[in-house]
Short mmCIF file of all heavy atoms in Angstrom, two decimals:
data_model
loop_
_atom_site.label_atom_id
_atom_site.label_comp_id
_atom_site.label_asym_id
_atom_site.label_seq_id
_atom_site.Cartn_x
_atom_site.Cartn_y
_atom_site.Cartn_z
N THR A 1 6.72 -138.50 216.69
CA THR A 1 7.69 -138.13 217.70
C THR A 1 9.11 -138.42 217.21
O THR A 1 9.34 -139.43 216.55
CB THR A 1 7.44 -138.87 219.02
OG1 THR A 1 8.49 -138.55 219.97
CG2 THR A 1 7.41 -140.37 218.83
N ASP A 2 10.02 -137.53 217.54
CA ASP A 2 11.44 -137.77 217.27
C ASP A 2 12.12 -138.50 218.41
O ASP A 2 13.28 -138.91 218.30
CB ASP A 2 12.17 -136.42 217.09
CG ASP A 2 12.14 -135.96 215.64
OD1 ASP A 2 11.85 -136.77 214.76
OD2 ASP A 2 12.41 -134.77 215.40
N GLY A 3 11.41 -138.65 219.53
CA GLY A 3 12.01 -139.22 220.72
C GLY A 3 11.37 -140.55 221.09
O GLY A 3 10.86 -141.27 220.24
N GLY A 4 11.43 -140.85 222.38
CA GLY A 4 10.82 -142.05 222.93
C GLY A 4 9.59 -141.67 223.71
O GLY A 4 9.67 -141.33 224.89
N LEU A 5 8.43 -141.70 223.06
CA LEU A 5 7.20 -141.23 223.68
C LEU A 5 6.36 -142.38 224.22
O LEU A 5 5.80 -142.28 225.31
CB LEU A 5 6.39 -140.42 222.66
CG LEU A 5 5.21 -139.61 223.16
CD1 LEU A 5 5.61 -138.63 224.24
CD2 LEU A 5 4.58 -138.85 221.99
N GLY A 6 6.28 -143.46 223.43
CA GLY A 6 5.52 -144.63 223.87
C GLY A 6 6.35 -145.88 223.78
O GLY A 6 5.83 -146.99 223.76
N GLY A 7 7.66 -145.72 223.70
CA GLY A 7 8.60 -146.81 223.55
C GLY A 7 9.87 -146.29 222.93
O GLY A 7 9.98 -145.09 222.62
N PRO A 8 10.87 -147.13 222.71
CA PRO A 8 12.13 -146.67 222.11
C PRO A 8 11.92 -146.26 220.66
O PRO A 8 11.10 -146.83 219.95
CB PRO A 8 13.04 -147.88 222.22
CG PRO A 8 12.11 -149.05 222.31
CD PRO A 8 10.92 -148.56 223.05
N ASN A 9 12.64 -145.25 220.21
CA ASN A 9 12.57 -144.81 218.82
C ASN A 9 13.13 -145.87 217.91
O ASN A 9 14.20 -146.42 218.16
CB ASN A 9 13.31 -143.48 218.66
CG ASN A 9 13.00 -142.81 217.34
OD1 ASN A 9 13.49 -143.23 216.31
ND2 ASN A 9 12.22 -141.76 217.38
N ALA A 10 12.39 -146.17 216.82
CA ALA A 10 12.79 -147.25 215.93
C ALA A 10 13.91 -146.89 214.98
O ALA A 10 14.53 -147.76 214.38
CB ALA A 10 11.57 -147.72 215.12
N GLY A 11 14.19 -145.59 214.83
CA GLY A 11 15.23 -145.19 213.89
C GLY A 11 15.96 -143.96 214.38
O GLY A 11 16.14 -143.77 215.57
N ASP A 12 16.35 -143.13 213.43
CA ASP A 12 17.08 -141.92 213.79
C ASP A 12 16.27 -140.67 213.49
O ASP A 12 16.79 -139.57 213.40
CB ASP A 12 18.42 -141.86 213.05
CG ASP A 12 18.26 -141.98 211.53
OD1 ASP A 12 17.09 -142.06 211.07
OD2 ASP A 12 19.28 -141.98 210.83
N SER A 13 14.93 -140.86 213.30
CA SER A 13 14.07 -139.71 213.04
C SER A 13 12.69 -140.00 213.65
O SER A 13 12.60 -140.53 214.73
CB SER A 13 14.00 -139.41 211.55
OG SER A 13 13.57 -140.54 210.81
N ALA A 14 11.61 -139.68 212.91
CA ALA A 14 10.28 -139.71 213.50
C ALA A 14 9.64 -141.09 213.50
O ALA A 14 9.78 -141.85 212.55
CB ALA A 14 9.37 -138.74 212.76
N ASP A 15 8.93 -141.38 214.58
CA ASP A 15 8.05 -142.54 214.70
C ASP A 15 6.61 -142.06 214.85
O ASP A 15 6.35 -140.94 215.30
CB ASP A 15 8.39 -143.35 215.96
CG ASP A 15 9.63 -144.21 215.81
OD1 ASP A 15 10.21 -144.25 214.71
OD2 ASP A 15 10.01 -144.83 216.82
N VAL A 16 5.67 -142.93 214.53
CA VAL A 16 4.26 -142.68 214.79
C VAL A 16 3.98 -142.90 216.27
O VAL A 16 4.53 -143.81 216.90
CB VAL A 16 3.37 -143.63 213.97
CG1 VAL A 16 1.90 -143.49 214.35
CG2 VAL A 16 3.58 -143.36 212.47
N PHE A 17 3.10 -142.07 216.85
CA PHE A 17 2.57 -142.38 218.18
C PHE A 17 1.05 -142.37 218.11
O PHE A 17 0.44 -141.66 217.30
CB PHE A 17 3.07 -141.41 219.25
CG PHE A 17 2.34 -140.09 219.31
CD1 PHE A 17 1.13 -139.96 219.98
CD2 PHE A 17 2.86 -138.97 218.69
CE1 PHE A 17 0.45 -138.76 220.01
CE2 PHE A 17 2.20 -137.76 218.71
CZ PHE A 17 0.98 -137.65 219.38
N LEU A 18 0.43 -143.14 218.97
CA LEU A 18 -1.01 -143.24 219.10
C LEU A 18 -1.32 -143.38 220.58
O LEU A 18 -0.76 -144.24 221.26
CB LEU A 18 -1.55 -144.45 218.34
CG LEU A 18 -3.04 -144.76 218.48
CD1 LEU A 18 -3.88 -143.66 217.86
CD2 LEU A 18 -3.36 -146.11 217.83
N ALA A 19 -2.20 -142.52 221.10
CA ALA A 19 -2.52 -142.54 222.52
C ALA A 19 -4.03 -142.45 222.71
O ALA A 19 -4.75 -141.91 221.86
CB ALA A 19 -1.85 -141.38 223.23
N ARG A 20 -4.48 -142.97 223.83
CA ARG A 20 -5.90 -142.87 224.19
C ARG A 20 -6.04 -142.14 225.52
O ARG A 20 -5.32 -142.45 226.48
CB ARG A 20 -6.53 -144.25 224.30
CG ARG A 20 -8.02 -144.22 224.62
CD ARG A 20 -8.62 -145.62 224.73
NE ARG A 20 -10.04 -145.56 225.04
CZ ARG A 20 -10.79 -146.61 225.32
NH1 ARG A 20 -10.24 -147.83 225.32
NH2 ARG A 20 -12.07 -146.47 225.60
N TYR A 21 -6.94 -141.16 225.55
CA TYR A 21 -7.25 -140.39 226.75
C TYR A 21 -8.73 -140.53 227.08
O TYR A 21 -9.56 -140.61 226.18
CB TYR A 21 -6.92 -138.90 226.53
CG TYR A 21 -5.45 -138.59 226.73
CD1 TYR A 21 -4.51 -138.98 225.78
CD2 TYR A 21 -5.00 -137.92 227.84
CE1 TYR A 21 -3.16 -138.70 225.96
CE2 TYR A 21 -3.65 -137.63 228.05
CZ TYR A 21 -2.74 -138.03 227.09
OH TYR A 21 -1.40 -137.76 227.28
N ASP A 22 -9.06 -140.54 228.39
CA ASP A 22 -10.46 -140.61 228.79
C ASP A 22 -11.08 -139.22 228.81
O ASP A 22 -10.44 -138.21 228.51
CB ASP A 22 -10.62 -141.36 230.12
CG ASP A 22 -10.02 -140.62 231.32
OD1 ASP A 22 -9.76 -139.39 231.22
OD2 ASP A 22 -9.85 -141.26 232.36
N SER A 23 -12.35 -139.15 229.17
CA SER A 23 -13.09 -137.90 229.11
C SER A 23 -12.59 -136.86 230.10
O SER A 23 -12.87 -135.66 229.95
CB SER A 23 -14.59 -138.17 229.37
OG SER A 23 -14.77 -138.74 230.65
N ALA A 24 -11.84 -137.29 231.12
CA ALA A 24 -11.30 -136.38 232.12
C ALA A 24 -9.87 -135.95 231.83
O ALA A 24 -9.27 -135.21 232.61
CB ALA A 24 -11.36 -137.03 233.51
N GLY A 25 -9.31 -136.43 230.71
CA GLY A 25 -7.95 -136.04 230.34
C GLY A 25 -6.87 -136.92 230.88
O GLY A 25 -5.69 -136.55 230.85
N ASN A 26 -7.22 -138.12 231.32
CA ASN A 26 -6.22 -139.08 231.82
C ASN A 26 -5.74 -139.97 230.67
O ASN A 26 -6.56 -140.49 229.90
CB ASN A 26 -6.81 -139.96 232.93
CG ASN A 26 -7.32 -139.16 234.10
OD1 ASN A 26 -6.57 -138.40 234.71
ND2 ASN A 26 -8.61 -139.29 234.41
N GLU A 27 -4.43 -140.15 230.56
CA GLU A 27 -3.88 -141.04 229.55
C GLU A 27 -4.14 -142.49 229.95
O GLU A 27 -3.76 -142.94 231.02
CB GLU A 27 -2.38 -140.82 229.38
CG GLU A 27 -1.77 -141.66 228.26
CD GLU A 27 -0.27 -141.51 228.18
OE1 GLU A 27 0.21 -140.46 227.69
OE2 GLU A 27 0.43 -142.43 228.64
N LEU A 28 -4.78 -143.26 229.06
CA LEU A 28 -5.06 -144.66 229.31
C LEU A 28 -3.95 -145.55 228.77
O LEU A 28 -3.60 -146.55 229.40
CB LEU A 28 -6.41 -145.04 228.68
CG LEU A 28 -7.61 -144.24 229.18
CD1 LEU A 28 -8.88 -144.71 228.48
CD2 LEU A 28 -7.75 -144.35 230.69
N TRP A 29 -3.42 -145.21 227.60
CA TRP A 29 -2.26 -145.92 227.05
C TRP A 29 -1.68 -145.10 225.92
O TRP A 29 -2.30 -144.18 225.38
CB TRP A 29 -2.61 -147.33 226.59
CG TRP A 29 -3.80 -147.50 225.69
CD1 TRP A 29 -5.03 -147.99 226.02
CD2 TRP A 29 -3.87 -147.22 224.27
NE1 TRP A 29 -5.86 -148.02 224.93
CE2 TRP A 29 -5.17 -147.55 223.83
CE3 TRP A 29 -2.96 -146.74 223.34
CZ2 TRP A 29 -5.59 -147.41 222.51
CZ3 TRP A 29 -3.37 -146.58 222.00
CH2 TRP A 29 -4.67 -146.92 221.61
N ILE A 30 -0.44 -145.46 225.55
CA ILE A 30 0.24 -144.83 224.42
C ILE A 30 1.11 -145.87 223.72
O ILE A 30 1.71 -146.71 224.39
CB ILE A 30 1.06 -143.59 224.87
CG1 ILE A 30 1.60 -142.82 223.65
CG2 ILE A 30 2.17 -143.96 225.82
CD1 ILE A 30 2.12 -141.44 223.99
N ARG A 31 1.14 -145.81 222.40
CA ARG A 31 1.93 -146.75 221.60
C ARG A 31 2.81 -145.95 220.64
O ARG A 31 2.43 -144.88 220.17
CB ARG A 31 1.03 -147.69 220.80
CG ARG A 31 0.02 -148.47 221.63
CD ARG A 31 0.70 -149.55 222.45
NE ARG A 31 -0.29 -150.39 223.13
CZ ARG A 31 -0.72 -150.17 224.36
NH1 ARG A 31 -0.27 -149.14 225.06
NH2 ARG A 31 -1.62 -150.98 224.90
N GLN A 32 3.95 -146.51 220.33
CA GLN A 32 4.88 -145.90 219.37
C GLN A 32 5.39 -146.96 218.41
O GLN A 32 5.71 -148.09 218.83
CB GLN A 32 6.06 -145.26 220.11
CG GLN A 32 7.08 -144.57 219.22
CD GLN A 32 8.12 -143.79 220.01
OE1 GLN A 32 7.88 -143.38 221.14
NE2 GLN A 32 9.28 -143.57 219.41
N PHE A 33 5.44 -146.65 217.13
CA PHE A 33 5.95 -147.61 216.16
C PHE A 33 6.50 -146.88 214.95
O PHE A 33 6.13 -145.73 214.67
CB PHE A 33 4.86 -148.62 215.74
CG PHE A 33 3.68 -148.01 215.04
CD1 PHE A 33 3.62 -147.95 213.65
CD2 PHE A 33 2.62 -147.51 215.77
CE1 PHE A 33 2.52 -147.40 213.00
CE2 PHE A 33 1.51 -146.95 215.12
CZ PHE A 33 1.47 -146.90 213.74
N GLY A 34 7.39 -147.54 214.23
CA GLY A 34 7.96 -146.93 213.03
C GLY A 34 9.10 -147.74 212.47
O GLY A 34 9.39 -148.85 212.92
N THR A 35 9.73 -147.17 211.47
CA THR A 35 10.89 -147.76 210.82
C THR A 35 12.12 -146.94 211.20
O THR A 35 12.03 -146.00 211.99
CB THR A 35 10.72 -147.75 209.30
OG1 THR A 35 10.79 -146.39 208.84
CG2 THR A 35 9.38 -148.35 208.89
N ARG A 36 13.24 -147.23 210.58
CA ARG A 36 14.42 -146.42 210.87
C ARG A 36 14.41 -145.11 210.08
O ARG A 36 15.29 -144.27 210.24
CB ARG A 36 15.70 -147.20 210.58
CG ARG A 36 15.86 -147.65 209.15
CD ARG A 36 17.10 -148.53 209.01
NE ARG A 36 17.32 -148.97 207.63
CZ ARG A 36 17.98 -148.27 206.72
NH1 ARG A 36 18.50 -147.10 207.06
NH2 ARG A 36 18.14 -148.73 205.50
N GLY A 37 13.38 -144.96 209.23
CA GLY A 37 13.21 -143.71 208.49
C GLY A 37 12.23 -142.79 209.20
O GLY A 37 12.02 -142.88 210.42
N TRP A 38 11.56 -141.93 208.41
CA TRP A 38 10.61 -140.95 208.95
C TRP A 38 9.19 -141.50 208.78
O TRP A 38 8.77 -141.80 207.67
CB TRP A 38 10.75 -139.63 208.20
CG TRP A 38 9.91 -138.52 208.75
CD1 TRP A 38 8.55 -138.36 208.64
CD2 TRP A 38 10.36 -137.39 209.51
NE1 TRP A 38 8.13 -137.23 209.26
CE2 TRP A 38 9.22 -136.61 209.81
CE3 TRP A 38 11.63 -136.97 209.94
CZ2 TRP A 38 9.31 -135.41 210.54
CZ3 TRP A 38 11.71 -135.79 210.65
CH2 TRP A 38 10.57 -135.02 210.95
N ASP A 39 8.46 -141.60 209.89
CA ASP A 39 7.10 -142.14 209.88
C ASP A 39 6.18 -141.18 210.63
O ASP A 39 6.53 -140.75 211.74
CB ASP A 39 7.05 -143.51 210.54
CG ASP A 39 8.18 -144.42 210.08
OD1 ASP A 39 8.14 -144.85 208.93
OD2 ASP A 39 9.11 -144.64 210.88
N GLU A 40 5.04 -140.87 210.06
CA GLU A 40 4.12 -139.98 210.76
C GLU A 40 2.68 -140.38 210.52
O GLU A 40 2.34 -140.93 209.46
CB GLU A 40 4.32 -138.53 210.34
CG GLU A 40 4.07 -138.22 208.89
CD GLU A 40 4.28 -136.75 208.57
OE1 GLU A 40 5.43 -136.36 208.32
OE2 GLU A 40 3.28 -136.01 208.58
N ALA A 41 1.81 -140.14 211.51
CA ALA A 41 0.38 -140.36 211.39
C ALA A 41 -0.28 -139.06 210.96
O ALA A 41 0.04 -138.00 211.49
CB ALA A 41 -0.20 -140.84 212.72
#
């Protein structure tokens, strides 16, 4: 993500995001992490 999807953006470009959804399509949690550079999963 280039934005704040699971928390504040760590830099001025992309952060990794990781989310968990249940079998019905409900979001259980989401996490965001990265450096001030470009990070992707």
Side-chain angles (χ1 to χ4, degrees):
T1 176
D2 272 343
L5 192 56
N9 193 285
D12 55 2
S13 56
D15 283 356
V16 173
F17 81 83
L18 175 66
R20 182 180 180 187
Y21 278 73
D22 67 17
S23 60
N26 301 302
E27 184 185 284
L28 301 180
W29 50 256
I30 188 166
R31 304 289 186 266
Q32 180 172 336
F33 63 94
T35 69
R36 61 185 181 87
W38 186 286
D39 315 289
E40 62 179 85

